[in-house]
Amino acid sequence: MNQPAWHDSVMMKAVRREPTARPPVWLMRQAGRYMAEYRAVREKVGFLELCRTPRLAAEIMLTAVETLNVDAAIIFSDLLPILEPMGFGLEFTPSDGPVVHRPIRTPDDVRRVVPLIEPNDLEPISYVFDVVEATRRGLSPDLPLIGFAGAPFTLAGYAIEGGGSKDFRNTKTFMYRYPDAWRELMEKLADTLAAYLNAQADAGVQIVQVFDSWVGCLSDTDYRTCVLPYSKRLLEQVRTVPSIHFGTGNPALLPLLREAGGDIIGVDWRLSLEKAWEAIGPDRGIQGNLDPVVLLSDPETIRASVRKMLRLAGGKPGHIVNLGHGVLPQTPVEHARVMVETVKAYTSYTEGS
Ligand code: CP3
């Protein structure tokens, strides 16, 4: 059978844990404020409006992919727009980041959260599927496109805090105090996010990534009881494309993230790549895990850090090179390029150093 060109890309091979001459590389938040082209567009267009304008959103990602020469594109969007059709208001303010209006305060509030299950329910957010189509159309056929969503815990965090938080105190209080309402909320989120990711797959992404960006504020035991069942429920429903399951902040959760599911587990920098892979187990792939702060240093340090990470991965199939979290806004673009180039030169330096 004739496979599409992206099928045998280094990225797709790594996702299937097939051997490749070098690992694939892309960067979380690879299109963003650290790029002059992005800042120029943002001077004219608000962030949410940008997410809702497929032509611009696609162009921003395609420019980033070309500038960095990475092995995969991710759709330009955000974790939070899915909350709007679920009944929340959403705003991005220049100073405070995202603000979620009408946050959940009581178990009663959970009842008014609208789950989006049927294809028609997702109509208000169909612009994301248009972004998928526009990006796929403009992208080189041999590069895969990644879709994404937040994990149930991270989205519950925004819905309960009404925005970002250092310690997710309100979220955890709600989780401890109202276990039944918590379950109802997490089930609604898991099923909605599954429908959302499956619709992205239908629109043309080759892989999906689930971001549990703030889950590290939990203990392993709380994760097991209060979060794992719902991340699992979400990932089990994503059947047509492979998935990357990303969590940060607490390396003790790695075996549990793996248990919840995902073909590839995305890890931060808090454990070395070798130890993180041990915690995940040899029968899954790994994505990561350069500290994004390394990209603020200098080219020589970046090269040395990337090479060290690649040595720790030991050339095993199933490693996708990435940062341990998103690119920081202060990152010089040239430094991100050095990271990518160093990975792409992998075979030449394994012989020497
Ligand atoms: O990777 C990419 O380049 C694709 C685009 C992407 C964005 N957000 C664009 C964005 C992706 C994959 C995300 C995911 C996202 N959004 C996460 C998970 C990744 C992570 O960092 O953990 C989270 C937690 C969010 C929520 C969010 N969006 C916050 C907290 C903020 C404000 C703080 C910040 O980092 O800017 C955003 C805004 C946002 N999302 C911007 C971009 C390019 C900046 C918006 C601007 O132009 O001001």
Side-chain angles (χ1 to χ4, degrees):
M1 203 177 84
N2 249 353
Q3 295 285 3
W6 48 257
H7 184 268
D8 286 324
S9 59
V10 276
M11 179 72 183
M12 293 310 288
K13 283 185 172 169
V15 169
R16 297 191 296 264
R17 286 189 293 119
E18 294 167 13
T20 50
R22 60 159 180 92
V25 54
W26 70 281
L27 276 62
M28 289 185 278
R29 298 283 190 105
Q30 61 194 10
R33 281 168 299 182
Y34 77 114
M35 282 194 169
E37 296 90 341
Y38 176 83
R39 292 193 301 270
V41 173
R42 279 283 285 107
E43 271 182 23
K44 291 179 236 133
V45 188
F47 175 65
L48 276 175
E49 193 187 339
L50 183 51
C51 292
R52 292 186 191 118
T53 313
R55 184 183 55 82
L56 285 179
E59 194 178 291
I60 279 189
M61 185 49 65
L62 296 170
T63 304
V65 167
E66 200 173 303
T67 306
L68 298 176
N69 195 20
V70 281
D71 295 308
I74 183 164
I75 56 168
F76 187 86
S77 191
D78 200 76
L79 302 190
L80 303 179
I82 188 72
L83 289 177
E84 286 184 301
M86 296 186 83
F88 300 90
L90 179 60
E91 194 184 341
F92 281 82
T93 62
S95 47
D96 305 326
V99 180
V100 175
H101 297 293
R102 304 184 293 283
I104 293 167
R105 294 273 182 256
T106 67
D108 261 354
D109 292 333
V110 173
R111 256 163 249 152
R112 63 164 166 83
V113 175
V114 185
L116 313 171
I117 313 288
E118 305 299 331
N120 277 352
D121 298 343
L122 291 163
E123 186 50 40
I125 196 158
S126 61
Y127 57 85
V128 175
F129 315 129
D130 297 338
V131 173
V132 171
E133 282 169 20
T135 313
R136 187 62 276 180
R137 254 197 318 277
L139 189 63
S140 163
D142 52 14
L143 293 183
L145 178 60
I146 304 169
F148 72 91
F153 177 80
T154 289
L155 276 182
Y158 283 105
I160 293 172
E161 303 291 337
S165 166
K166 267 210 295 286
D167 52 14
F168 289 85
R169 208 176 282 188
N170 299 309
T171 310
K172 289 163 69 174
T173 305
F174 192 95
M175 178 179 99
Y176 293 132
R177 191 162 172 199
Y178 306 119
D180 291 338
W182 177 257
R183 183 187 325 116
E184 186 185 335
L185 175 62
M186 292 293 273
E187 286 178 358
K188 283 181 176 178
L189 284 167
D191 294 347
T192 299
L193 294 164
Y196 182 44
L197 289 175
N198 284 326
Q200 291 181 32
D202 289 344
V205 303
Q206 280 67 57
I207 306 168
V208 293
Q209 175 156 334
V210 172
F211 286 89
D212 219 346
S213 301
W214 312 129
V215 75
C217 67
L218 295 175
S219 70
D220 54 348
T221 49
D222 284 341
Y223 180 86
R224 177 176 286 291
T225 323
C226 304
V227 175
L228 189 149
Y230 311 102
S231 291
K232 192 169 177 200
R233 178 171 170 141
L234 160 61
L235 286 158
E236 274 174 357
Q237 292 180 66
V238 178
R239 293 203 190 89
T240 57
V241 292
S243 55
I244 302 170
H245 184 189
F246 169 71
T248 73
N250 181 359
L253 300 182
L254 290 177
L256 300 173
L257 288 175
R258 173 237 145 88
E259 196 177 321
D263 298 280
I264 302 279
I265 305 300
V267 303
D268 69 20
W269 61 89
R270 290 173 176 85
L271 262 191
S272 72
L273 195 102
E274 183 191 26
K275 289 187 195 141
W277 210 340
E278 244 173 66
I280 290 163
D283 58 338
R284 297 290 172 90
I286 189 166
Q287 176 172 280
N289 73 342
L290 194 74
D291 188 332
V293 177
V294 169
L295 294 192
L296 304 185
S297 64
D298 59 89
E300 247 340 287
T301 307
I302 295 165
R303 281 186 204 104
S305 307
V306 170
R307 286 170 187 169
K308 186 170 165 202
M309 170 179 58
L310 292 173
R311 270 197 298 275
L312 290 174
K316 285 200 292 289
H319 177 213
I320 297 166
V321 178
N322 206 315
L323 298 171
H325 209 153
V327 180
L328 296 166
Q330 303 79 8
T331 305
V333 174
E334 192 44 41
H335 288 183
R337 286 168 50 96
V338 168
M339 173 175 169
V340 174
E341 280 163 12
T342 309
V343 178
K344 292 201 159 181
Y346 180 59
T347 44
S348 53
Y349 69 74
T350 41
E351 288 141 30
S353 59

